[in-house]
Amino acid sequence: MTENLNVLQSTQFVVEKALTLLGYPQVMIELLKEPLRMMTVRIPIRMDDDSVRIFTGYRAQHNDAVGPTKGGVRFHPDVNEDEVKALSIWMSLKCGIVDLPFGGGKGGIICDPRTMSFRELERLSRGYVRAISQIVGPTKDIPAPDVMTNSQIMAWMMDEYSRIREFDAPNFITGKPVVLGGSQGRETATAKGVAIMINLALLKRKLPLLDTRVIIQGFGNAGSYLAKFMHDAGARVVGISDFYGALYDEKGLDINSLLDRRDSFGTVTKLFTNTITNKELLERPCDILVPAAIENQITSDNAERIQASIIVEAANGPTTLAATKILTERDVLIVPDVLANAGGVVVSYFEWVQNNQGYYWTEAEVHAKLQVVMEKSFENVYTIHKEKNIDMRLAAYTVGVQKMAEASKFRGWV
Ligand code: NAD
């Protein structure tokens, strides 16, 4: 029954289950199942050939009871209102799980950056900030990178916001280049966090990391750095993929060479002829499977054939609820997205803190602090999963919703 729900509906389904389990009334479910604010903007952009194109963008602010909202901006042709809303709810859950003083936000623009020039992208990034400037800001809503946006785009957005407000505002956005107030370790933070989760999951299952077979779907920011970390730690990365296809080798892939040859959009398989499909890759033999690309990749169609005993979700929403049920019954340990990929928002928070205090940390300091937060969060969720005998996703959601539900109550909203 849950298989036909879209990403927003399935997120709402688990949020409702978590709040009910915690004993909150129906009105709390009503409050938290949709963002408090959802802004749709139309952005006219002068293209290089002098024509004008109108782009549609969104900014969702799920709940700001705990603090300002925080979350990335996605540039992708498939961006839509429900996806942005779901992503903003996931951000709220993540901030709750890793205990940050933020609520969740998310933004997106319907566009394909792969077909746009550097200057067209700059005009679009600046136009988006002008369009949403009234509802964002360092103590209101703090954007960050997401799929197909990067530190250059964050730099343009920060510059545009600073111009509008007429003061320098590095704390308006995170994921900036280091010279503009970006944090050491932000670029690799999501992958670092996922790597920490893999180590903890292996410990729970009493499995070694050395020579463990890993498949990673997606070779962009999250997937490619993770492949490097796993390879360097002695695991055997047997499969990787991108939008165009996948590579699999039981003996292990040459990760360093693939990293050298991938382009800035995380594409590398086009250079090979011995590729398989993304669908085939997910079902190949491995111990750990890391979806690090897009939503709805593991469904009731393929869950029975997944061979991994541990799935760590670097991507947002890669596994449907029906697949979660099948895999949990098969005793596959799933580390859910809202926990597994929270390293990115943790270091984004560190970046915002450093910008506010004007004092910057070393990469080693950032990693040490990230390690502490991720370990504590994993243990917290895992304990609830065991104690309440509920799956890891529901356990993570119960941790994630609790702080914002309590904050909403104390503010007198509910
Ligand atoms: P990215 O744009 O850097 O890379 C995406 C990768 O997925 C690329 O290799 C691309 O070719 C591949 N891909 C795209 N469509 C695909 C498809 N249909 N099938 C297979 N592969 C496909 O993105 P990213 O930042 O690495 O994000 C990947 C996932 O991780 C997303 O779900 C994102 O929301 C999530 N995430 C990222 C961060 C972060 O800090 N980057 C933080 C939290 C969550």
Side-chain angles (χ1 to χ4, degrees):
M1 164 210 143
T2 53
E3 195 66 350
N4 296 325
L5 302 181
N6 71 20
V7 281
L8 176 61
Q9 292 162 332
S10 50
T11 305
Q12 291 169 329
F13 183 83
V14 190
V15 165
E16 177 163 354
K17 257 176 112 169
L19 288 165
T20 307
L21 196 75
L22 292 167
Y24 285 103
Q26 184 62 28
V27 64
M28 189 65 85
I29 296 165
E30 284 301 310
L31 176 72
L32 298 182
K33 74 176 199 198
E34 287 272 337
L36 288 174
R37 275 176 292 279
M38 177 72 188
M39 190 175 189
T40 303
V41 292
R42 307 264 286 148
I43 315 159
I45 297 298
R46 177 79 53 192
M47 306 303 278
D48 289 346
D49 65 3
D50 216 31
S51 65
V52 173
R53 256 185 74 189
I54 317 293
F55 290 87
T56 300
Y58 304 99
R59 187 73 196 169
Q61 298 172 343
H62 174 242
N63 185 283
D64 54 9
V66 171
T69 47
K70 174 106 196 70
V73 183
R74 179 174 288 202
F75 282 10
H76 198 277
D78 299 337
V79 163
N80 61 73
E81 210 173 312
D82 272 3
E83 183 192 58
V84 175
K85 283 183 178 179
L87 285 160
S88 76
I89 300 175
W90 289 335
M91 284 307 298
S92 279
L93 295 166
K94 278 181 221 186
C95 292
I97 290 165
V98 292
D99 201 14
L100 304 183
F102 291 136
K106 202 78 181 194
I109 302 178
I110 305 170
C111 67
D112 190 347
R114 291 167 294 197
T115 62
M116 294 171 70
S117 73
F118 192 69
R119 288 297 160 219
E120 286 170 345
L121 275 175
E122 175 178 357
R123 290 193 285 273
L124 181 60
S125 305
R126 290 181 184 279
Y128 178 67
V129 171
R130 285 194 299 278
I132 62 166
S133 69
Q134 288 305 316
I135 64 160
V136 290
T139 55
K140 276 188 183 175
D141 180 15
I142 305 134
D146 190 66
V147 173
M148 287 206 267
T149 53
N150 55 25
S151 57
Q152 173 62 77
I153 290 174
M154 299 304 108
W156 289 324
M157 289 187 174
M158 190 275 276
D159 185 64
E160 191 66 22
Y161 185 82
S162 298
R163 284 189 199 193
I164 294 169
R165 293 281 178 258
E166 298 184 335
F167 54 76
D168 193 35
N171 53 358
F172 157 63
I173 204 161
T174 58
K176 302 177 293 293
V178 171
V179 288
L180 289 179
S183 177
Q184 298 289 346
R186 173 61 185 91
E187 180 91 3
T188 56
T190 302
K192 255 288 176 271
V194 176
I196 294 169
M197 293 294 119
I198 290 177
N199 277 305
L200 295 169
L202 284 168
L203 277 174
K204 293 294 177 205
R205 287 291 162 105
K206 299 190 171 46
L207 294 170
L209 177 64
L210 212 62
D211 215 31
T212 285
R213 295 164 305 165
V214 186
I215 288 179
I216 303 170
Q217 184 197 30
F219 209 55
N221 174 279
S224 69
Y225 283 121
L226 179 69
K228 170 97 183 122
F229 293 149
M230 288 293 100
H231 177 74
D232 290 354
R236 190 162 21 122
V237 182
V238 291
I240 63 108
S241 76
D242 59 28
F243 180 78
Y244 302 96
L247 295 167
Y248 182 88
D249 185 347
E250 176 71 37
K251 294 195 283 300
L253 296 165
D254 183 349
I255 294 302
N256 288 324
S257 149
L258 292 172
L259 288 169
D260 282 347
R261 299 173 73 185
R262 77 173 199 124
D263 68 17
S264 62
F265 294 109
T267 309
V268 70
T269 64
K270 275 200 281 192
L271 305 172
F272 296 83
T273 50
N274 58 336
T275 53
I276 56 174
T277 65
N278 266 279
K279 200 168 170 292
E280 288 167 326
L281 178 73
L282 298 176
E283 298 174 15
R284 286 286 167 105
C286 69
D287 305 297
I288 300 171
L289 174 62
V290 183
I294 52 160
E295 292 102 9
N296 293 332
Q297 296 303 292
I298 305 173
T299 66
S300 54
D301 287 340
N302 61 3
E304 292 285 3
R305 293 189 300 279
I306 301 280
Q307 303 195 38
S309 61
I310 296 173
I311 296 177
V312 181
E313 297 178 341
N316 284 309
T319 313
T320 64
L321 296 182
T324 301
K325 187 164 181 290
I326 295 169
L327 291 160
T328 306
E329 280 165 9
R330 287 183 46 211
D331 199 29
V332 175
L333 177 58
I334 302 177
V335 184
D337 47 10
V338 284
L339 167 65
N341 67 33
V345 70
V346 171
V347 178
S348 268
Y349 165 61
F350 293 163
E351 182 172 331
W352 181 76
V353 168
Q354 293 170 81
N355 294 150
N356 287 340
Q357 66 184 4
Y359 178 73
Y360 290 83
W361 307 336
T362 63
E363 190 168 356
E365 284 175 289
V366 170
H367 284 162
K369 289 180 203 295
L370 175 65
Q371 181 88 27
V372 172
V373 175
M374 296 305 288
E375 275 181 14
K376 191 171 157 224
S377 308
F378 179 91
E379 285 306 332
N380 213 358
V381 170
Y382 191 82
T383 304
I384 289 174
H385 151 67
K386 284 288 174 198
E387 279 179 7
K388 292 198 190 297
N389 194 22
I390 53 179
D391 69 56
M392 283 285 281
R393 193 177 312 284
L394 182 56
Y397 272 52
T398 60
V399 178
V401 293
Q402 194 154 24
K403 194 169 156 190
M404 70 182 144
E406 284 305 294
S408 301
K409 223 166 76 180
F410 274 118
R411 281 181 186 267
W413 293 355
V414 169

